[in-house]
């Protein structure tokens, strides 16, 4: 069997459903807003990164072209005959010849250092090791923005000279802190230089080291042509040592994320997007160079943030408008409905109906529903009061009719007179019967009370039993078993006598000494049950008897005794109580009186 699907909304009240509707409208708005902003940021980052990759390629190509041009110039200087004929340790040349050679070399290097295209100039300088000080006349005042030929001895040898010689004519970029040994009063000599040792073509050995200075200014020009929003540009070697940068303040080594590892790739471009920065790295393993773009994501997304703020402002305004609408809707609809629900739940028919709540708009559906419900409750109260009054009158009339059927008042006084006359005449048996009958009638009157205790009702029933036993010469037995704690319970008077009478007449009348009638009772905290049983042998239609008890207009030919008892119990105690007939276990009839366990008040 398939399980029946249930709508979960059916378990929610209107208040919860409205709140759920509000959340269903608002939450997707903010989720889509957040997702749209996130995706827009990712797309923008990727597009901007791709643009920077192309820009980096062009920028790196220009820088390499400048370096390649410097390399070609150094190759030309390398092959110049004047440079190749320079020999600082030759003793065959006179001082005049050396001076002339020095002047020609100075002029040669100055020519290469002049620029005609208004670009940042490069300065070509030749450093020659002169341990014998044969060029003693040549000044030794090198500078980053100065070209020339410099001869030095062991005490003036620059720290980078031997490193360049070891590379055997291979040119490379190097950040030089000092072009010569630092001395007191010396200005800053820090520069990015292209360093290349010049070897003797005709003989073994090194003539000197050619140094091209102010290369950072030339590369800086290329870096200045790139526009990055608050970004940073770095030109580094392969160990991330910064050779030059567009920013003046920077550290010696550029810190890159772990993802910046180039692996075995020789030439290429790599982009890395982190939470804070976008890195575009153009690298050349052969030339040991890197061009790094470092762009802050926050600056890049500033324009997007402005758009995002507008979207968020619209979302907030929409949220506030929805909230105000919900509050207005809640105040105008839900609060009256809640008041109405509160009234309906607490209202009990017959209670005083409070004044109808005042509403701003009495002509709308809620106002009409509210006023109509309160008016309906007042009309229901009027109907209940009217019905209650009529029911009381009807019960009083029925009780009076029922008691008039079985309670002949004048007979009691007559029986008292007959009892005394029989006693005086010596007719004791008759007097005793008349006495029991008088007691029976006295209890029947009960001083006008309609409810008496079970103890009094048993006394009434015992008097009737004694009369019948006198009449039939004690030919049947009667046993009474009633717990003492049930004796104070109230019962409509003259309830047991008609039932015992039926047991005698229709049950044990012709059974002689074999006839038995038993009266017993038991109960709990709320109910008591009285059983009147006989061991009669006649066939009885119990269904017909029970049907007779419940009929509104029974046939008078069937008598009114047991129906009278049943109707009086119903009138006093309400539905659920009364008489029931059933077959007795072992033969005979058992009638049960079901009564509430009610104790008569002291008053």
């Amino acid at each position: 069997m398939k399980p029946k699907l249930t709508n979960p909304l059916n378990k929610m009240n209107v208040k919860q459903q409205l709140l759920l509707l509000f959340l269903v409208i608002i939450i997707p708005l903010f989720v889509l807003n957040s997702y749209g902003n996130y995706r827009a940021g990712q797309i923008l980052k990727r597009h901007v990164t791709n643009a920077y990759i192309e820009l980096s390629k062009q920028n790196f190509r220009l820088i390499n072209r400048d370096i390649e041009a410097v390399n070609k110039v150094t190759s030309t200087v390398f092959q110049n005959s004047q440079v190749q004929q320079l020999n600082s340790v030759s003793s065959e040349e006179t001082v005049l010849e050396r001076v002339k050679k020095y002047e020609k070399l100075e002029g040669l290097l100055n020519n290469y250092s002049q620029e005609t295209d208004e670009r940042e100039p490069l300065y070509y300088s030749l450093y020659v090791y002169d341990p014998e000080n044969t060029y003693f006349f040549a000044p030794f005042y090198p500078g980053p923005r100065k070209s020339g030929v410099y001869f030095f001895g062991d005490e003036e040898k620059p720290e980078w000279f031997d490193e360049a010689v070891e590379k055997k004519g291979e040119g490379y970029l190097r950040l030089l802190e000092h072009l010569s040994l630092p001395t007191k009063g010396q200005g800053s000599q820090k520069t990015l230089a292209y360093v290349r040792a010049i070897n003797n073509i005709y003989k073994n050995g090194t003539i000197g080291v050619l140094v091209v200075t102010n290369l950072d200014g030339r590369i800086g020009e290329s870096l200045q042509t790139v526009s990055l929003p608050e970004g940073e540009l770095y030109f580094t070697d392969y160990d991330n040592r910064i050779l030059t940068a567009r920013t003046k303040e920077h550290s010696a080594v550029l810190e890159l994320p772990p993802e910046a590892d180039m692996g075995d790739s020789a030439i290429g471009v790599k982009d890395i997007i982190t939470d804070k920065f976008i890195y575009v790295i153009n690298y050349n393993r052969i030339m040991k160079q890197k061009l790094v773009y470092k762009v802050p994501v926050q600056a890049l997304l500033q324009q997007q943030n402005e758009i995002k703020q507008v979207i968020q402002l619209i979302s907030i305004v929409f949220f506030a408008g929805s909230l105000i609408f919900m509050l207005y809707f809640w105040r105008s609809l839900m609060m009256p409905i809640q008041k109405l629900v509160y009234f309906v739940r607490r209202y009990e028919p017959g209670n005083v109906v409070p004044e109808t709540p005042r509403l701003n708009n009495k002509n709308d559906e809620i106002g009409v529903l509210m006023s109509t419900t309160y008016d309906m409750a007042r009309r229901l109260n009027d109907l209940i009061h009217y019905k209650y009054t009529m029911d009381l009158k009807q019960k009083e009339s029925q009780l009076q009719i029922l008691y008039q059927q079985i309670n002949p008042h004048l007979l009691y006084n007559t029986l008292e007179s007959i009892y005394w006359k029989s006693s005086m005449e010596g007719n004791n048996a008759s007097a005793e019967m008349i006495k029991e009958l008088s007691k029976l009638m006295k209890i029947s009157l009960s001083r006008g009370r309609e409810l008496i205790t079970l103890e009094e009702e048993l006394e009434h029933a015992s008097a009737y039993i004694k009369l019948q036993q006198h009449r039939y010469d004690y030919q049947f037995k009667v046993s009474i078993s009633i717990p003492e704690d049930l004796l104070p319970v109230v019962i409509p008077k003259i309830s047991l006598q008609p039932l015992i009478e039926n047991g005698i007449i229709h049950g044990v009348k012709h059974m002689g000494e074999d006839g038995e009638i038993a009266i017993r009772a038991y109960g709990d905290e709320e109910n008591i049950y009285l059983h009147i049983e006989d061991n009669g042998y006649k066939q009885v239609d119990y269904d017909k008897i029970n049907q007779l008890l419940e009929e509104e207009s029974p046939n008078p030919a069937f008598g009114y005794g047991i129906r009278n008892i049943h109707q009086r119990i119903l009138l006093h105690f309400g539905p659920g109580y009364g008489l029931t007939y059933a077959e007795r276990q072992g033969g005979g009839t058992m009638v049960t009186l079901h009564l509430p366990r009610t104790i008569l008040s002291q008053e």
Side-chain angles (χ1 to χ4, degrees):
M1 183 177 180
K2 295 182 178 180
K4 186 178 180 181
L5 298 178
T6 58
N7 187 359
L9 295 179
N10 295 336
K11 299 180 180 180
M12 304 172 64
N13 55 34
V14 178
K15 174 181 176 182
Q16 294 171 336
Q17 291 183 15
L18 285 177
L19 181 60
L20 179 61
L21 176 62
F22 178 73
L23 295 177
V24 167
I25 295 174
I26 294 300
I27 291 178
L29 174 67
F30 285 98
V31 171
L32 292 176
N33 184 18
S34 301
Y35 179 74
N37 290 330
Y38 171 76
R39 288 296 301 161
Q42 295 295 322
I43 294 172
L44 180 61
K45 289 178 185 179
R46 174 45 53 193
H47 283 298
V48 171
T49 302
N50 292 337
Y52 283 148
I53 288 174
E54 295 301 321
L55 184 61
S56 173
K57 289 179 180 179
Q58 296 177 12
N59 198 194
F60 198 52
R61 192 177 300 116
L62 290 175
I63 295 174
N64 288 335
R65 187 178 63 184
D66 289 338
I67 297 174
E68 185 63 27
V70 171
N71 186 59
K72 289 181 179 180
V73 173
T74 58
S75 297
T76 302
V77 175
F78 189 102
Q79 298 172 5
N80 188 276
S81 60
Q82 296 179 11
V83 175
Q84 289 293 322
Q85 292 175 4
L86 181 64
N87 187 358
S88 61
V89 296
S90 175
S91 59
E92 297 177 357
E93 297 176 337
T94 64
V95 174
L96 181 60
E97 290 175 340
R98 292 190 185 109
V99 170
K100 290 181 179 180
K101 198 177 282 190
Y102 167 75
E103 289 178 348
K104 290 180 181 180
L105 289 176
E106 280 276 338
L108 175 67
L109 295 178
N110 285 332
N111 288 334
Y112 285 120
S113 300
Q114 294 179 0
E115 292 291 340
T116 59
D117 55 358
E118 297 183 356
R119 296 190 66 189
E120 189 74 20
L122 299 177
Y123 300 96
Y124 292 80
S125 299
L126 179 61
Y127 289 80
V128 182
Y129 180 53
D130 184 14
E132 301 296 335
N133 197 19
T134 56
Y135 285 81
F136 60 90
F137 52 85
F140 187 69
Y141 302 109
R145 302 181 68 86
K146 183 179 179 182
S147 62
V149 182
Y150 303 102
F151 297 88
F152 59 88
D154 292 329
E155 296 179 356
E156 297 170 331
K157 181 188 291 187
E159 59 182 356
W160 42 264
F161 186 85
D162 292 336
E163 176 188 67
V165 173
E166 290 178 0
K167 291 188 179 290
K168 298 179 181 180
E170 179 184 356
Y172 65 99
L173 293 176
R174 192 182 196 282
L175 186 62
L176 302 180
E177 295 291 339
H178 300 281
L179 296 174
S180 61
L181 294 178
T183 59
K184 185 176 181 181
Q186 186 184 64
S188 175
Q189 292 185 314
K190 185 175 181 180
T191 183
L192 177 62
Y194 183 85
V195 182
R196 182 177 182 181
I198 298 179
N199 298 324
N200 195 317
I201 299 175
Y202 308 105
K203 300 177 182 180
N204 293 328
T206 301
I207 297 174
V209 175
L210 185 62
V211 179
V212 184
T213 59
N214 199 35
L215 197 59
D216 48 347
R218 176 63 63 86
I219 296 176
E221 284 184 343
S222 299
L223 299 182
Q224 292 295 334
T225 61
V226 180
S227 176
L228 296 181
E230 300 182 13
E232 302 173 5
L233 277 72
Y234 298 96
F235 187 67
T236 71
D237 61 11
Y238 227 67
D239 294 325
N240 297 329
R241 288 191 296 267
I242 298 175
L243 301 178
T244 185
R246 197 165 72 172
T247 57
K248 294 182 179 180
E249 301 294 333
H250 57 78
S251 59
V253 179
L254 178 62
E255 293 185 3
L256 295 176
E259 298 88 344
D261 185 14
M262 307 307 166
D264 297 331
S265 178
I267 300 175
V269 182
K270 188 167 188 177
D271 63 278
I272 303 166
I273 301 177
T274 64
D275 295 335
K276 295 183 179 181
F277 296 98
I278 294 177
Y279 296 89
V280 177
I281 306 171
N282 203 321
Y283 57 93
N284 189 324
R285 184 185 293 273
I286 299 173
M287 300 182 67
K288 305 295 183 181
Q289 299 167 3
K290 293 181 184 178
L291 178 61
V292 180
Y293 287 5
K294 182 180 179 182
V295 183
V297 174
Q298 188 65 28
L300 179 65
L301 300 180
Q302 183 175 2
Q303 184 177 4
Q304 185 204 1
N305 289 336
E306 295 176 358
I307 300 175
K308 186 187 300 183
Q309 290 175 359
V310 174
I311 297 175
Q312 290 177 349
L313 179 60
I314 295 174
S315 301
I316 292 173
V317 171
F318 179 80
F319 174 79
S322 301
L323 185 61
I324 292 173
F325 174 77
M326 288 294 294
L327 292 176
Y328 173 79
F329 185 77
W330 189 275
R331 183 179 179 84
S332 61
L333 177 63
M334 288 306 302
M335 289 183 65
I337 290 179
Q338 285 183 330
K339 291 180 180 179
L340 184 60
V341 170
Y342 179 79
F343 166 73
V344 171
R345 285 181 176 177
R346 293 180 62 87
Y347 170 72
E348 293 183 1
N351 290 349
V352 177
V353 178
E355 183 181 356
T356 304
R358 296 182 179 180
L359 300 178
N360 296 330
N361 188 0
K362 296 182 179 180
N363 297 323
D364 63 358
E365 290 81 357
I366 300 300
V368 172
L369 178 62
M370 183 78 73
S371 59
T372 303
T373 302
Y374 276 77
D375 292 341
M376 182 177 62
R378 294 187 184 95
R379 290 195 298 270
L380 181 60
N381 279 358
D382 294 340
L383 180 61
I384 290 174
H385 292 157
Y386 174 76
K387 185 177 184 303
Y388 178 73
T389 303
M390 297 305 296
D391 286 344
L392 287 179
K393 292 181 179 180
Q394 181 182 7
K395 287 184 178 181
E396 291 176 358
S397 300
Q398 290 178 348
L399 287 173
Q400 292 299 325
I401 293 173
L402 292 172
Y403 283 125
Q404 289 175 3
Q405 291 177 346
I406 63 172
N407 196 16
H409 180 74
L410 297 177
L411 184 59
Y412 168 71
N413 293 331
T414 304
L415 290 175
E416 285 290 329
S417 300
I418 296 174
Y419 167 71
W420 288 108
K421 181 174 176 54
S422 298
S423 296
M424 294 176 65
E425 293 177 353
N427 194 350
N428 294 329
S430 298
E432 187 66 24
M433 293 179 66
I434 293 171
K435 180 180 179 182
E436 296 296 334
L437 180 59
S438 175
K439 184 186 298 184
L440 184 66
M441 298 305 300
K442 183 176 180 181
I443 295 174
S444 299
L445 292 176
S446 301
R447 299 178 182 178
R449 290 181 296 155
E450 298 174 358
L451 295 176
I452 61 175
T453 64
L454 181 57
E455 184 178 9
E456 293 175 320
E457 180 66 14
L458 286 174
E459 185 179 356
H460 175 273
S462 298
Y464 174 77
I465 291 172
K466 290 181 180 179
L467 283 175
Q468 296 302 320
Q469 285 180 332
H470 279 293
R471 178 181 178 184
Y472 295 108
D473 294 330
Y474 298 93
Q475 293 182 354
F476 60 89
K477 300 177 183 178
V478 178
S479 61
I480 300 176
S481 176
I482 305 294
E484 292 186 1
D485 61 329
L486 298 181
L487 294 178
V489 176
V490 297
I491 184 174
K493 62 182 178 182
I494 316 177
S495 296
L496 297 181
Q497 180 268 327
L499 302 178
I500 296 173
E501 180 180 1
N502 285 343
I504 294 173
I505 295 174
H506 301 290
V508 300
K509 178 178 179 180
H510 301 291
M511 295 180 63
E513 294 181 355
D514 293 333
E516 294 182 1
I517 294 178
I519 303 171
R520 57 189 180 88
Y522 66 92
D524 52 27
E525 294 180 356
E526 297 180 357
N527 304 281
I528 68 167
Y529 300 91
L530 287 167
H531 295 302
I532 294 90
E533 306 175 3
D534 65 71
N535 60 347
Y537 56 88
K538 294 182 179 180
Q539 294 293 327
V540 180
D541 190 347
Y542 300 106
D543 293 335
K544 189 173 183 179
I545 294 176
N546 290 323
Q547 182 179 359
L548 173 66
L549 294 176
E550 301 297 335
E551 288 182 355
E552 295 184 1
S553 301
N555 189 350
F558 292 102
Y560 59 86
I562 60 175
R563 177 174 170 79
N564 181 289
I565 299 170
H566 183 69
Q567 290 297 316
R568 284 191 290 129
I569 292 175
L570 291 179
L571 289 172
H572 280 295
F573 304 118
Y577 301 100
L579 296 181
T580 54
Y581 272 81
E583 184 178 0
R584 174 179 172 273
Q585 186 176 3
T589 301
M590 179 180 69
V591 58
T592 301
L593 282 83
H594 180 198
L595 303 171
R597 188 162 183 166
T598 306
I599 306 298
L600 193 64
S601 64
Q602 188 68 25
E603 183 180 357

